[in-house]
Amino acid sequence: MITAKQEAFCQALIAGRSQSDAYRDAYNTKPRSTAGAIAVSASKLMSDPKITLRIAELRKADAEAVCWSRRQSEEVLKGIALSEAIKPSERIAAIRELNTMFGYKAPSEAVVSVNALKPITDEDWL
């Protein structure tokens, strides 16, 4: 279990603050505290296994919250494609995107290579 100040430190780090700034925010450091002293204190805090574990938990939760799955994309596009309230052009665009996602889109260009044929000789048959 971590303290409220330690949690505030972890939250500030996840929010993008530097270690020193997160420490200043969480521990309400005095204005006369030196940058070096704050950096050392923040570094010591970062070496605490409870803190590193909590930061890892927060990062994982953050990553899961922003992760957009293929299934979610399909559901949203399907909703757009089937909605009568959406403009036809937007519905068509959603259908095109779904077709692309599922590989139904035909290639835009066909590449055909033809080699010159040579007659088969009697030696080729043997």
Side-chain angles (χ1 to χ4, degrees):
M1 191 76 180
I2 63 175
T3 68
K5 288 184 179 187
Q6 290 172 329
E7 178 67 21
F9 174 77
C10 295
Q11 293 287 341
L13 280 173
I14 294 301
R17 305 281 285 162
S18 70
Q19 287 182 16
S20 293
D21 287 340
Y23 188 87
R24 281 186 194 96
D25 294 347
Y27 287 87
N28 301 318
T29 59
K30 296 177 179 152
R32 64 180 182 268
S33 299
T34 65
I38 291 172
V40 168
S41 296
S43 180
K44 285 181 183 177
L45 197 55
M46 284 299 295
S47 67
D48 183 337
K50 293 184 290 186
I51 299 300
T52 55
L53 177 62
R54 181 61 181 143
I55 290 169
E57 290 170 348
L58 290 170
R59 284 187 177 141
K60 182 179 178 191
D62 196 38
E64 289 172 357
V66 298
C67 185
W68 184 268
S69 70
R70 181 181 175 98
R71 184 74 181 140
Q72 288 171 308
S73 293
E74 292 170 14
E75 291 301 319
V76 169
L77 289 169
K78 181 179 173 185
I80 292 169
L82 297 175
S83 174
E84 296 287 331
I86 304 288
K87 290 188 229 175
S89 61
E90 292 171 351
R91 293 173 66 192
I92 291 168
I95 292 168
R96 280 192 190 120
E97 189 61 33
L98 281 167
N99 287 340
T100 300
M101 285 175 64
F102 287 113
Y104 299 147
K105 186 175 179 181
S108 59
E109 181 179 308
V111 178
V112 179
S113 176
V114 178
N115 293 329
L117 299 175
K118 65 176 187 164
I120 298 176
T121 64
D122 289 336
E123 290 86 29
D124 292 333
W125 286 102
L126 301 174

